[in-house]
Amino acid sequence: PPPPPPPFFQAEDGIRDRRKSLVGSEMCIRDRDTRTGGEITVMKGHTWDVTSCAFSPDGRTLASADWDGTIRMWEASNGVLLNTLKGHTGNVKSCAFSPDGRTLASTSYDHTIRLWEASNGALLNTLEGHTDSVLSCAFSPDGRTLASTSIDHTVRLWDARASIKIAILTGHTRDVPTCAFSPNGRTLASASDDKTVRLWDARSGAEIAVLTGHTGNIKSCAFSPDGQTLASGSNDKTVRLWDTRTGEQIAVMKGHTENVPACAFSPDGHTLASASWDNTVRLWDAHTGGEIAMLTGHTEMVNSCAFSPNGRTLASASYDNTVRLWDSHSRQETAILRGHTSEVTSCAFSPDG
């Protein structure tokens, strides 16, 4: 059997017709109603751990990546399996829909990115060039560019429509776990185990800035809604804020006592949430870096956190097999979502919350 997956998981939820959150772990995906905490759908069929999932922009289809090398496409409303996409020759690490929902991208330990026709699961193209496992991918907001990150220390930009390489972004000296486009699509940020975040011109691939200060591997990065601030979470137990226009460090948020694998801005950009392996979620003032609150209740490592679109609710996913919902204003726990029989590695809200 393939080796167990590393403790990373990424998810997106684009379903629009119900208020719900998506959580995943073990060999299934569970869909939750965030108002009642009730389970809507359990999607079973995976033969190994689910490493990534993404809803199509119209919310009708869910794609989920499996450590067995396949991607499954599901009817989001009822959990019916539509297609099983086969072609990768290694574990599939992540998947993402294009903004128009027509294309699905998947990354794999076979060193490739594959593009699939979302409507029928047909393979469109295989993007080759990385010399080691591809860890993540992200479409630009306009859908024209695809970025991919790899263990080979590089980030690559691809023309998502022509399926050709635009640029190889070099500079990182260790694995690059993740990347993110700015809201306007002009800047790409990449976070690396070399303890740096790099900012790139998303069109030319030119390096804009190297953000230094972290003393441990960086596992997450996120742009503020206005694109002027970048947050990064690290194994050095800190969260840092950066000015994306100057590359200067704005604040160092200290308080966590273990790794910080995830961070997320509230929709209004005023609050930053961070999830930590110290079993807590912390809320910070996104402008000053001051700590607002520490949310306790999880009994194991917290892997992921996400704000609802209106910013009133925060969800957190943990190795204690639960997702917890919190009122972001009162900082009180409002629900515990149970049902998973193994660690929950990600959570995401639908656009309607």
Side-chain angles (χ1 to χ4, degrees), residues 41-43 62 73-83:
T41 308
V42 181
M43 302 174 188
L62 171 71
M73 306 286 279
W74 312 84
E75 181 71 40
S77 62
N78 55 26
V80 171
L81 180 64
L82 301 174
N83 288 297

Side-chain angles (χ1 to χ4, degrees), residues 123-164:
L123 179 64
L124 297 174
N125 277 296
T126 300
L127 307 182
E128 298 178 316
H130 282 294
T131 58
D132 211 324
S133 303
V134 188
L135 300 178
S136 72
C137 63
F139 282 95
S140 60
D142 64 8
R144 296 179 180 179
T145 305
L146 180 72
S148 58
T149 71
S150 172
I151 290 177
D152 68 9
H153 307 173
T154 72
V155 180
R156 295 180 186 237
L157 297 178
W158 312 84
D159 184 313
R161 298 174 180 176
S163 298
I164 58 174

Side-chain angles (χ1 to χ4, degrees), residues 52-314:
S52 178
C53 56
F55 274 92
S56 59
D58 64 8
R60 297 179 180 177
T61 306
L62 171 71
S64 55
D66 196 320
W67 205 244
D68 68 4
T70 67
I71 302 100
R72 285 172 166 76
M73 306 286 279
W74 312 84
E75 181 71 40
S77 62
N78 55 26
V80 171
L81 180 64
L82 301 174
N83 288 297
T84 300
L85 314 185
K86 299 179 179 180
H88 281 296
T89 57
N91 312 127
V92 181
K93 184 62 178 65
S94 69
C95 60
F97 277 96
S98 59
D100 64 8
R102 296 179 181 178
T103 304
L104 180 77
S106 58
T107 71
S108 172
Y109 276 42
D110 67 7
H111 306 181
T112 71
I113 305 102
R114 293 181 187 245
L115 301 180
W116 312 84
E117 180 70 46
S119 61
N120 58 23
L123 179 64
L124 297 174
N125 277 296
T126 300
L127 307 182
E128 298 178 316
H130 282 294
T131 58
D132 211 324
S133 303
V134 188
L135 300 178
S136 72
C137 63
F139 282 95
S140 60
D142 64 8
R144 296 179 180 179
T145 305
L146 180 72
S148 58
T149 71
S150 172
I151 290 177
D152 68 9
H153 307 173
T154 72
V155 180
R156 295 180 186 237
L157 297 178
W158 312 84
D159 184 313
R161 298 174 180 176
S163 298
I164 58 174
K165 180 181 65 185
I166 298 172
I168 303 175
L169 313 186
T170 59
H172 285 300
T173 58
R174 292 191 63 187
D175 302 2
V176 187
T178 190
C179 64
F181 279 96
S182 61
N184 64 13
R186 296 175 185 173
T187 305
L188 180 74
S190 57
S192 173
D193 286 354
D194 67 8
K195 307 174 187 177
T196 72
V197 176
R198 292 174 188 254
L199 301 181
W200 315 85
D201 184 301
R203 295 181 180 178
S204 68
E207 185 177 272
I208 299 171
V210 181
L211 312 184
T212 59
H214 279 295
T215 59
N217 301 352
I218 305 173
K219 297 301 184 184
S220 62
C221 62
F223 280 94
S224 60
D226 64 8
Q228 295 182 10
T229 304
L230 184 80
S232 56
S234 169
N235 288 0
D236 67 9
K237 307 173 188 178
T238 72
V239 182
R240 295 174 190 246
L241 294 177
W242 313 87
D243 187 318
T244 59
R245 295 162 296 184
T246 65
E248 296 297 317
Q249 183 174 276
I250 299 171
V252 180
M253 287 96 101
K254 296 180 179 180
H256 285 299
T257 58
E258 292 293 343
N259 299 352
V260 183
C263 56
F265 280 95
S266 61
D268 64 10
H270 295 319
T271 305
L272 182 75
S274 58
S276 173
W277 287 4
D278 65 8
N279 305 353
T280 72
V281 178
R282 292 179 189 244
L283 299 179
W284 314 85
D285 185 304
H287 304 292
T288 67
E291 183 173 330
I292 298 171
M294 178 174 66
L295 310 183
T296 60
H298 284 296
T299 58
E300 296 290 344
M301 299 182 294
V302 187
N303 301 298
S304 177
C305 59
F307 280 98
S308 61
N310 64 14
R312 296 175 183 172
T313 303
L314 180 73

Side-chain angles (χ1 to χ4, degrees), residues 27-41:
M27 299 180 188
C28 72
I29 299 163
R30 294 174 187 265
D31 223 352
R32 299 283 190 174
D33 188 310
T34 57
R35 294 167 296 183
T36 66
E39 192 167 78
I40 298 172
T41 308

